[in-house]
């Protein structure tokens, strides 16, 4: 190892980083072995170990942090460019042990081990390098003050890749348990077995977290399992389900960071597939729901398939988790409303910030509630949440959610809409990757008060009933509006038809009047002609009488009269007289025909007048009927309501809130 010449050391302005910068001389004798390389090749690999010694207050000996990296050596005469690359981040964890109290007031610690992980570690592993001097990773609670621990977690989160969320199934769960804690659990289990009821100290013990070695037994006791359900499982796994393709797709994404579920077709994935399919067949109403595989996987890590199935059925039915998936997620909407009201009452500034940024409860709470927080968080936190859930039931959802929000309030208040969603997806789970942080979160969750949940449930149901009534009245209003529009269209159509009928009747009346006038003229002319012909006929008769009288007087004329008298209708008669008589007969026939047409026109005119009166009466009756029907509908709607609805204020999810 070669001590580098120090150039600078201090805080980086504008950030919370402490930067140490050093340099080395390439001609230093310590680098002679590298300088002897003439033509490097891929087979000639060189590595350099870089270390930094930190003097930390409270620790007697300097703490050395070191990492090993590959070195590329160029020949002496070869030119190269020093290209800038993305910085790699490596985190180091100090596992400390507190020493006996000294004369000073400050606590003293001893370094047990130094653990590391990060991008450099992953890069070196891909190159086949093993970091020297590092112990196997075993998370031990560092004895730090709350302030130092919070700052340390914040630095870890900042240094981590914020764009990469934590894989589900991450985290090692310690199976260590102190003798005193085991003694307390032994006493509680003995009382539980003897009395058949939960002992008083059980709540306190579960709040601290059930020892991993006892979880299988305690979970089954808390949930209450049935032998009948266990026997059914052996039959259910032999049946087919329509959800098998969906289950298989979800299994490949369930706990990919855990060795038990990593291998496709392995024991873990096969057990998870059978368990998920069995429940889908068992619960036909709900079937398989996305996210259910995470809960099933958490159970399989502690118990065999049959027992895991019994506990899963109890969680879904007895703890009413399946209600969240029913009726179009109606129960889930109520739970999210309760969460929003809790946030509004207990963390007012964060609730107001979410309102301003447009962040709604379903954007982060839906996955939490539907999966019991098993999808994103480390396993030690997931198991601890299940401990408390099996003890308290549904209230645990709100306790943990409220604890997560209050613990992250400072960070969330500084973020916009996209930042908040990214924080929930990426940064929040990483805050609890150590058992210490998870234990503190659950301790805070168990100390919160959610006694108003029943009140919020009644409030939600009241608002929902009001919303249903509002929707009913809205639908009734839309129906009446449509009927009114249809009536208006119908009235407009009738008005158009009446106008058309009036115009048609007026045309018919006008045509009939014209026809009547024409007929009157014809009749008048006919009367004149008849009068003239009658006069001429009378003159002819008179002339005939005169001739007849003269014939009697004059013997000579008698022969002439007998020889000259001709029947006017005979062929030898005067043609003009025959034409006149024929014309008279034609005019008489035409007169009779005209009279008949006149009578028919009068009849049609009367029919059209009757039709006009009938249409006018029908239109008037339609107006009166529509108006009466509309008034009756509004009266019936008013009677159904009875009293006016309470004043409502609008909430974030589109519902109205009772402000009365």
């Amino acid at each position: 190892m070669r001590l580098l010449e120090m150039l600078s050391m201090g805080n980086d302005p504008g950030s919370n980083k402490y930067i140490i910068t050093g340099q080395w001389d390439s001609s230093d004798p310590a680098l002679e072995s590298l300088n002897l390389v003439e033509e490097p090749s891929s087979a000639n690999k060189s590595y350099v170990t870089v270390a930094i010694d930190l003097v930390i207050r409270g620790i007697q000996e300097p703490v050395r942090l070191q990492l090993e990296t590959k070195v590329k050596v160029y020949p002496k005469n070869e030119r190269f460019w020093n290209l800038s690359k993305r910085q790699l981040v490596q985190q180091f964890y100090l596992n400390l042990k507190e020493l006996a109290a000294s004369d000073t007031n400050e606590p003293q610690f001893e370094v047990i081990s130094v653990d590391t992980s990060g991008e450099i570690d992953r890069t070196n592993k891909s190159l086949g390098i093993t970091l020297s001097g590092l112990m196997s990773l075993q998370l031990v609670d560092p004895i730090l003050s709350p302030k130092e621990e919070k700052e340390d977690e914040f630095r870890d989160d900042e240094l981590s890749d914020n764009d990469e969320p934590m894989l589900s199934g991450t985290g090692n769960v310690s199976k260590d348990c102190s003798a005193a804690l085991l003694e307390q659990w032994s006493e509680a289990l003995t009382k539980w077995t003897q009395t058949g009821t939960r002992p008083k100290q059980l709540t306190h013990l579960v709040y601290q977290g059930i020892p991993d070695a006892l979880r299988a037994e305690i979970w089954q006791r808390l949930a209450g399992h049935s032998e009948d359900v266990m026997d059914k499982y052996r039959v259910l796994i032999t049946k087919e389900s329509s959800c098998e393709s969906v289950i298989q797709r979800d299994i490949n994404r369930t706990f990919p960071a855990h060795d038990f579920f990593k291998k496709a077709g392995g024991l873990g994935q096969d057990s998870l597939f059978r368990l998920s399919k069995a429940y889908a067949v068992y619960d036909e109403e709900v079937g398989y729901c996305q996210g259910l595989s995470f809960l099933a996987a958490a159970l399989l890590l502690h118990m065999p398939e049959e027992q895991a199935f019994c506990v899963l059925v109890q969680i879904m039915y007895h703890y009413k988790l399946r209600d969240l998936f029913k009726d179009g997620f109606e129960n889930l909407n109520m739970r999210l409303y309760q969460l929003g009201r809790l946030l509004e009452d207990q963390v007012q500034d964060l609730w107001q910030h979410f309102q301003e940024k447009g962040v709604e409860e379903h954007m982060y709470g839906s996955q939490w509630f539907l999966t019991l927080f098993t999808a994103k968080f480390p396993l030690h936190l997931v198991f601890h949440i299940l401990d408390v859930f099996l003890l308290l039931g549904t209230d645990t959802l709100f306790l943990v959610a409220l604890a997560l929000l209050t613990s992250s309030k400072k960070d969330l208040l500084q973020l916009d809409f996209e930042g908040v969603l990214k924080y929930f997806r990426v940064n929040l789970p990483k805050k609890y990757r150590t058992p210490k942080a998870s234990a503190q979160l659950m301790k805070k969750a168990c100390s919160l008060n959610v006694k108003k949940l029943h009140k919020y449930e009644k409030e939600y149901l009241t608002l929902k009933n009001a919303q249903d009534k509002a929707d009913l009245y809205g639908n009734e209003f839309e129906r009446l509006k449509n009927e009114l529009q249809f009536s208006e269209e119908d009235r407009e159509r009738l008005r158009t038809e009446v106008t058309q009928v009036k115009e048609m009747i007026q045309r018919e009346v006008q045509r009939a009047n014209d026809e009547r006038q024409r007929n009157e003229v014809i009749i008048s002319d006919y009367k004149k002609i008849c009068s003239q012909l009658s006069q001429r006929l009378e003159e002819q008769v008179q002339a005939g009488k005169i001739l007849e009288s003269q014939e009697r007087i004059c013997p000579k004329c008698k022969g002439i009269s007998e020889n000259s008298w001709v029947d006017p209708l005979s062929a030898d008669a005067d043609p003009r007289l025959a034409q006149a008589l024929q014309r008279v007969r034609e005019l008489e026939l035409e007169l009779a025909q005209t009279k008949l047409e006149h009578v028919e026109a009068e009849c049609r005119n009367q029919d059209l007048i009757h039709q006009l009166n009938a249409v006018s009466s029908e239109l008037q009756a339609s107006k009166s009927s529509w108006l009466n029907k509309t008034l009756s509908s509004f009266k019936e709607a008013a009677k159904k309501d009875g009293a006016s609805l309470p004043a409502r204020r609008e909430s974030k999810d589109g519902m109205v809130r009772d402000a009365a």
Side-chain angles (χ1 to χ4, degrees), residues 17 39 127 134 146 185 216 234 388 469 488 510 539 588:
K17 299 178 182 177
E39 295 183 0
L127 297 174
L134 300 181
W185 273 105
R234 301 181 180 91
V388 180
K469 287 185 179 180
E488 291 290 340
Q510 184 64 35
E539 290 177 354
E588 287 178 349

Side-chain angles (χ1 to χ4, degrees), residues 608-642:
L608 291 174
I609 291 173
H610 288 312
Q611 291 179 11
L612 178 61
N613 293 333
V615 171
S616 299
S617 300
E618 183 180 352
L619 179 61
Q620 187 65 29
S622 176
K623 290 181 180 179
S624 301
S625 175
W626 169 82
L627 182 59
N628 293 333
K629 186 176 181 181
T630 304
L631 292 175
S632 300
S633 300
F634 281 117
K635 287 179 180 179
E636 290 177 1
K639 289 179 180 179
K640 289 179 181 179
D641 187 18

Side-chain angles (χ1 to χ4, degrees), residues 103 163 226 275 286 322 341 347 361 400 411 459 506 536 565 584 638 658:
D103 297 337
D163 293 332
S226 172
L275 179 57
V286 174
R322 66 190 298 271
R341 292 289 287 115
V347 198
E361 287 77 20
V400 177
D411 297 334
E459 184 178 307
Q506 289 176 356
R536 288 177 59 185
W565 174 253
V584 169
D658 193 353

Side-chain angles (χ1 to χ4, degrees), residues 375-391:
K376 294 295 184 182
F377 292 94
L379 289 181
H380 44 261
L381 178 57
V382 168
F383 297 157
H384 201 160
I385 293 174
L386 287 175
D387 295 342
V388 180
F389 178 82
L390 291 172
L391 176 71

Side-chain angles (χ1 to χ4, degrees), residues 46 112 179:
S46 300
I112 303 301

Side-chain angles (χ1 to χ4, degrees), residues 124-371:
N124 288 338
K125 287 181 179 179
S126 66
L127 297 174
I129 305 171
T130 303
L131 297 181
S132 60
L134 300 181
M135 301 175 61
S136 61
L137 180 61
Q138 181 179 2
L139 297 178
V140 180
D141 296 345
I143 308 176
L144 299 175
S145 65
K147 181 178 180 181
E148 290 173 334
E149 186 178 35
K150 187 174 182 181
E151 292 176 353
D152 182 64
E153 291 175 358
F154 178 77
R155 286 193 296 269
D156 288 342
D157 287 339
E158 185 181 39
L159 292 174
S160 62
D161 189 0
N162 290 333
D163 293 332
E164 293 295 331
M166 179 185 294
L167 294 176
S168 64
T170 301
N172 294 328
V173 181
S174 175
K175 296 184 179 297
D176 297 336
C177 183
S178 64
L181 185 59
L182 285 177
E183 182 65 26
Q184 295 178 19
W185 273 105
S186 176
E187 180 182 352
L189 290 175
T190 301
K191 290 183 179 180
W192 198 351
T193 303
Q194 293 175 352
T195 62
T197 59
R198 297 178 180 179
K200 294 182 179 180
Q201 66 267 37
L202 181 65
T203 300
H204 175 70
L205 292 174
V206 173
Y207 281 174
Q208 293 179 351
I210 302 174
D212 197 64
L214 300 177
R215 277 200 168 103
E217 180 183 355
I218 304 299
W219 282 2
Q220 292 181 71
R221 285 199 178 194
L222 289 172
H225 63 283
S226 172
E227 295 294 337
D228 295 338
V229 177
M230 190 177 299
D231 294 336
K232 288 181 180 179
Y233 176 77
R234 301 181 180 91
V235 179
L236 292 173
I237 58 177
T238 62
K239 297 183 179 180
E240 295 183 355
S241 173
S242 58
C243 307
E244 291 185 9
S245 59
V246 180
I247 295 173
Q248 190 63 53
R249 185 173 65 247
D250 280 357
I251 283 176
N252 296 326
R253 301 179 298 198
T254 303
F255 287 1
H258 199 283
D259 294 336
F260 188 59
F261 299 103
K262 273 184 178 180
K263 185 178 179 181
L267 176 61
Q269 290 197 7
D270 289 346
S271 299
L272 185 56
F273 176 80
R274 288 192 295 270
L275 179 57
S276 301
K277 186 186 76 169
Y279 183 80
V281 177
Y282 180 82
D283 189 355
E284 296 181 355
E285 182 181 6
V286 174
Y288 174 77
C289 306
Q290 288 187 340
L292 188 64
S293 58
F294 292 98
L295 177 58
L299 298 176
L300 284 174
L301 291 176
H302 293 87
M303 59 191 75
E305 294 178 36
E306 295 85 351
Q307 298 176 1
F309 179 75
C310 293
V311 176
L312 179 61
V313 170
Q314 287 296 102
I315 290 176
M316 296 297 288
Y317 280 85
H318 180 68
Y319 291 85
K320 300 181 179 180
L321 185 64
R322 66 190 298 271
D323 292 347
L324 300 179
F325 300 92
K326 293 169 52 179
D327 303 326
F329 299 97
E330 181 61 37
N331 189 267
L332 175 63
N333 293 331
M334 183 186 70
R335 300 303 182 190
L336 294 175
Y337 173 81
Q338 290 174 305
L339 176 61
R341 292 289 287 115
L342 280 173
L343 193 63
E344 181 181 4
D345 287 349
Q346 301 189 25
V347 198
Q348 177 68 30
D349 50 352
L350 183 59
W351 178 82
Q352 185 64 36
H353 179 70
F354 283 174
Q355 294 297 307
E356 294 174 357
K357 301 302 179 182
V359 180
E360 300 178 1
E361 287 77 20
H362 68 85
M363 297 178 180
Y364 56 89
S366 296
Q367 187 187 65
W368 292 355
F369 287 4
L370 293 176
T371 64

Side-chain angles (χ1 to χ4, degrees), residues 507-561:
R507 289 195 299 269
E508 291 294 330
V509 170
Q510 184 64 35
R511 189 177 66 80
N513 290 333
D514 295 341
E515 185 73 17
R516 185 180 60 182
Q517 292 177 0
R518 186 176 66 82
N519 292 335
E520 288 177 352
V521 172
I522 293 174
I523 292 172
S524 177
D525 294 341
Y526 173 74
K527 288 180 178 180
K528 289 181 180 179
I529 294 172
C530 290
S531 178
Q532 292 175 359
L533 292 175
S534 297
Q535 186 177 358
R536 288 177 59 185
L537 180 59
E538 188 176 351
E539 290 177 354
Q540 290 292 335
V541 171
Q542 292 295 332
K545 290 180 178 180
I546 294 173
L547 290 174
E548 185 178 356
S549 62
Q550 289 179 355
E551 179 182 0
R552 292 194 197 95
I553 298 172
C554 181
K556 296 180 178 180
C557 296
K558 186 176 179 181
I560 297 174
S561 174

